[in-house]
Amino acid sequence: KRLVLRPKDNEAFVIYDRNVNTYAAQLGMSTAIRCNGTTAVNFPTLPCVDPNVPSLMKVQVGEQAFEVKLYMDDVRNTTGTVDRTKVMDQIVKQVNQQAGEKLLASDVVNATTGETVLYAKTGEALRITDLPIPDPALSPSYSGGIALQMGISAGITSTGTIQDDDTIAGLGGTAGTIRIRSAGKTVDVDLAATDSMKVVADKIRA
């Protein structure tokens, strides 16, 4: 059996968990994105990169897309790490300013860990991804990774800790082919055992 909930008069419909429990998410009914609260989130630091360079995110609300710029001083807490709540506040503030309306809202559901939910007031689906660092010398190879660290990034991510120069052979793999299917299209990517993770990412991107 399935539980079907419908709003009256096609009004906006938003459901999310407001405490440490995740029943709505487990039942597949949550319409919000919830960040984690387990490990510290660090602002990216790269050699030869100005610390004032923002970390960029792409936020999609339904068919609309917005770019969010996160500056260290705006999202840092007293310990020097990234404050999850401040990140969510910046996303809401910047997206709403660009949209010209109150499109997004956030709610702190665990003040101790900083876990916060982000949702569209229209009930539309949200999608967040990290964008490359706005430095031509490093783009598109590196991103700030804040969305990824907070557990709100859409898409597929690897498990475990790997480095750019780790090779397929070094991680216990062999040469082969990756088949990627999306939106009715199929692309085969041939990989060598000596390919590094950066080379793999570049091949997939190409």
Side-chain angles (χ1 to χ4, degrees):
K1 294 182 179 180
R2 289 186 177 183
L3 173 64
V4 179
L5 301 176
R6 295 188 180 94
K8 291 183 178 180
D9 303 321
N10 293 322
E11 295 177 348
F13 193 45
V14 177
I15 298 178
Y16 63 90
D17 297 286
R18 290 206 70 211
N19 51 29
V20 295
N21 297 314
T22 57
Y23 299 131
Q26 292 178 53
L27 290 170
M29 297 192 302
S30 177
T31 60
I33 291 178
R34 178 172 178 155
C35 73
N36 58 35
T38 52
T39 57
V41 176
N42 297 301
F43 203 87
T45 55
L46 293 171
C48 303
V49 175
D50 189 330
N52 296 314
V53 169
S55 179
L56 304 181
M57 286 184 185
K58 180 180 180 181
V59 180
Q60 291 179 264
V61 186
E63 297 298 321
Q64 301 181 75
F66 307 91
E67 184 177 279
V68 172
K69 297 180 180 181
L70 300 175
Y71 291 92
M72 185 186 299
D73 290 342
D74 292 333
V75 298
R76 186 168 45 186
N77 56 31
T78 55
T79 64
T81 56
V82 172
D83 187 310
R84 291 170 168 81
T85 302
K86 290 182 178 180
V87 170
M88 293 298 212
D89 288 343
Q90 282 295 317
I91 293 174
V92 170
K93 176 183 177 181
Q94 294 185 38
V95 168
N96 288 351
Q97 286 179 341
Q98 293 176 49
E101 60 178 316
K102 293 183 178 179
L103 190 60
L104 298 185
S106 62
D107 189 7
V108 179
V109 294
N110 190 328
T112 302
T113 63
E115 288 176 82
T116 305
V117 296
L118 180 72
Y119 60 92
K121 290 191 171 186
T122 57
E124 293 177 282
L126 290 177
R127 179 182 173 89
I128 300 176
T129 51
D130 289 303
L131 291 176
I133 289 174
D135 185 327
L138 298 172
S139 181
S141 297
Y142 295 94
S143 72
I146 291 181
L148 181 62
Q149 294 180 70
M150 289 177 57
I152 59 175
S153 177
I156 300 171
T157 59
S158 63
T159 58
T161 303
I162 58 175
Q163 304 298 324
D164 283 353
D165 55 357
D166 286 341
T167 63
I168 292 175
L171 294 171
T174 58
T177 301
I178 295 177
R179 172 162 289 178
I180 302 172
R181 290 179 177 174
S182 177
K185 297 181 180 179
T186 301
V187 177
D188 289 340
V189 181
D190 295 323
L191 303 175
T194 54
D195 284 347
S196 67
M197 294 301 100
K198 184 180 183 303
V199 170
V200 170
D202 289 340
K203 284 185 175 182
I204 293 173
R205 187 183 298 112

